[in-house]
Amino acid sequence: MLSWRPVSHYGRKAIGCGETQLDAVAAEQWTIAPATRRYIPPARFLPHHLERIRATRFGSIAEVVRGFRGDYESVQQATVALRLRDVDLIDGTLYAGHAAYPLRPRRRRLPVYARPKTAMTQATLFESWMGNRWFGMWLLDDCLTYQLAADSGHPVRTRAPATRHQEEYSRQLQFCAQPIADMHFDDLVVFRDHGSNEGKQRRADALKAKLRGSDLFARHPGVFLLRGQTGDRRLLVNECEIAEHFARHRGFRVLDPASATLAEVIDACAGARVVAGVEGSHLTHGLQIMPNDAALFVIQPPDRVVSILKVVTDRQGQAYAFVVGEGSHDAFSVDWDDVSRTLDLVVG
């Protein structure tokens, strides 16, 4: 039997009704963690580095700069569970009533689909578009939402772990989610888990404890996580030179996460007072594992400045420092003197 739900969804958008959110079609919803008022502390930076910012990702320049300047209170959204009835998962998109909720890019373009031949009575879903797109968002968000899905029913996933590190984290965290393809659900629970509220902070602490286990990690000055040419392009042309300065002048360890095992990443980051590197998902290894009194030091290209990782350090009570380089994300550089002076603002 054919379903015309995509036609309904896109038709409503075409006539100006806007996109229907899952909240509007949920049969039931409940709050798991209430909204939280949180103080946003200032980042540590040299003032002239704000002037270098030419373009940002995920927010306007004004919004990103405000987050860096900090010194204000922000309301962090509640974590909410939504129970949906009569849901179809087709080609990575959930269809429920007039709402469509994409989890990953569609491969098929027809505005109709055949109803799935397989069905489940009840399931819970922890995936997100952002988590399926970026490893960092998977680690920082989807891995926390997984615990909600496991507590609320039968977790499912639409794709296997895409990287070796995702496989290692999934094993270490004992994830048990049933892989599925196109599917009909009589009852599906999804989660709106975007706010950095206190409940999410506690889940992050529990996940960190599970990763670190019972081992005791000696504190050390820090670790520089190499990025190289992995992920979305942000090429720090003097990265090796900067990493060498961190090691020689500040006693940092240098680690390439792309070639390291999860055990090696944990060993390097679990006792670090500072985790440093070019902005990107590879830094989330350290951010998820480093102590709650540690600091994140981020090197940014001037035309692709991102403040998402500061949202996480704010939630966990950690310090955030940054420098902005010169050039572009295709090829940029930073001056060690600026890096060193900014690091002094963190460690004294």
Side-chain angles (χ1 to χ4, degrees), residues 16-333:
C17 293
E19 294 195 35
T20 303
Q21 302 300 312
L22 291 182
D23 301 59
V25 299
E28 179 185 4
Q29 56 182 289
W30 62 95
T31 299
I32 295 175
T36 300
R37 292 194 68 86
R38 184 177 301 283
Y39 173 73
I40 307 302
R44 319 288 173 84
F45 58 92
L46 302 176
H48 68 279
H49 279 241
L50 286 182
E51 300 168 7
R52 292 183 178 177
I53 299 175
R54 301 200 308 268
T56 56
R57 187 84 184 269
F58 310 117
S60 67
I61 291 179
E63 291 168 334
V64 168
V65 167
R66 181 172 184 258
F68 286 157
R69 290 189 182 279
D71 196 25
Y72 62 90
E73 279 201 339
S74 173
V75 176
Q76 302 298 319
Q77 297 176 21
T79 297
V80 175
L82 305 173
R83 186 181 303 280
L84 309 173
R85 310 283 193 192
D86 185 24
V87 183
D88 290 331
L89 170 65
I90 299 291
D91 194 21
T93 296
L94 294 176
Y95 295 99
H98 295 300
Y101 183 71
L103 300 171
R104 48 184 167 76
R106 293 185 299 122
R107 295 185 298 270
R108 289 172 279 182
R109 298 302 175 191
L110 290 177
V112 296
Y113 63 81
R115 297 294 291 268
K117 296 180 180 179
T118 54
M120 298 183 71
T121 301
Q122 193 278 335
T124 56
L125 186 69
F126 62 98
E127 285 181 32
S128 68
W129 175 278
M130 298 283 281
N132 282 336
R133 171 63 178 84
W134 287 284
F135 167 78
M137 295 297 96
W138 177 83
L139 184 57
L140 295 177
D141 286 324
D142 289 8
C143 285
L144 299 185
T145 307
Y146 171 83
Q147 190 56 57
L148 302 179
D151 291 343
S152 300
H154 180 67
V156 296
R157 58 176 172 80
T158 69
R159 67 177 186 122
T163 67
R164 173 177 59 85
H165 281 135
Q166 285 180 324
E167 292 177 352
E168 290 184 288
Y169 277 105
S170 296
R171 285 196 300 270
Q172 182 89 354
L173 296 170
Q174 299 176 316
F175 284 0
C176 184
Q178 179 182 343
I180 58 171
D182 290 357
M183 182 72 66
H184 173 80
F185 301 97
D186 295 332
D187 181 303
L188 180 68
V189 176
V190 300
F191 304 91
R192 192 175 67 236
D193 192 26
H194 309 306
S196 292
N197 54 59
E198 292 179 1
K200 194 167 186 177
Q201 176 184 342
R202 288 192 292 270
R203 279 182 281 135
D205 287 338
L207 185 145
K208 179 181 300 184
K210 199 166 187 177
L211 289 172
R212 293 165 65 102
S214 58
D215 294 339
L216 297 178
F217 297 92
R219 299 304 295 270
H220 61 91
V223 57
F224 188 95
L225 298 180
L226 295 168
R227 178 177 178 83
Q229 299 195 47
T230 61
D232 293 347
R233 190 168 178 85
R234 278 175 291 241
L235 180 59
L236 179 62
V237 294
N238 62 335
E239 182 181 40
C240 290
E241 174 192 336
I242 294 297
E244 184 179 348
H245 281 306
F246 267 102
R248 181 188 305 167
H249 300 296
R250 297 291 183 151
F252 275 45
R253 304 179 188 180
V254 177
L255 182 73
D256 183 358
S259 59
T261 65
L262 178 57
E264 290 170 333
V265 171
I266 293 174
D267 182 67
C269 298
R273 292 188 173 90
V274 179
V275 171
V278 177
E279 200 285 329
S281 285
H282 69 298
L283 288 184
T284 62
H285 289 292
L287 187 52
Q288 194 68 284
I289 297 166
M290 70 187 194
N292 277 1
D293 62 351
L296 189 69
F297 190 104
V298 182
I299 301 172
Q300 309 251 17
D303 59 343
R304 201 184 187 282
V305 175
V306 179
S307 60
I308 287 177
L309 297 184
K310 184 178 183 294
V311 174
V312 181
T313 59
D314 292 345
R315 182 186 73 205
Q316 300 304 123
Q318 296 157 327
Y320 180 96
F322 71 94
V323 293
V324 178
E326 296 180 290
S328 72
H329 65 278
D330 284 323
F332 73 105
S333 63

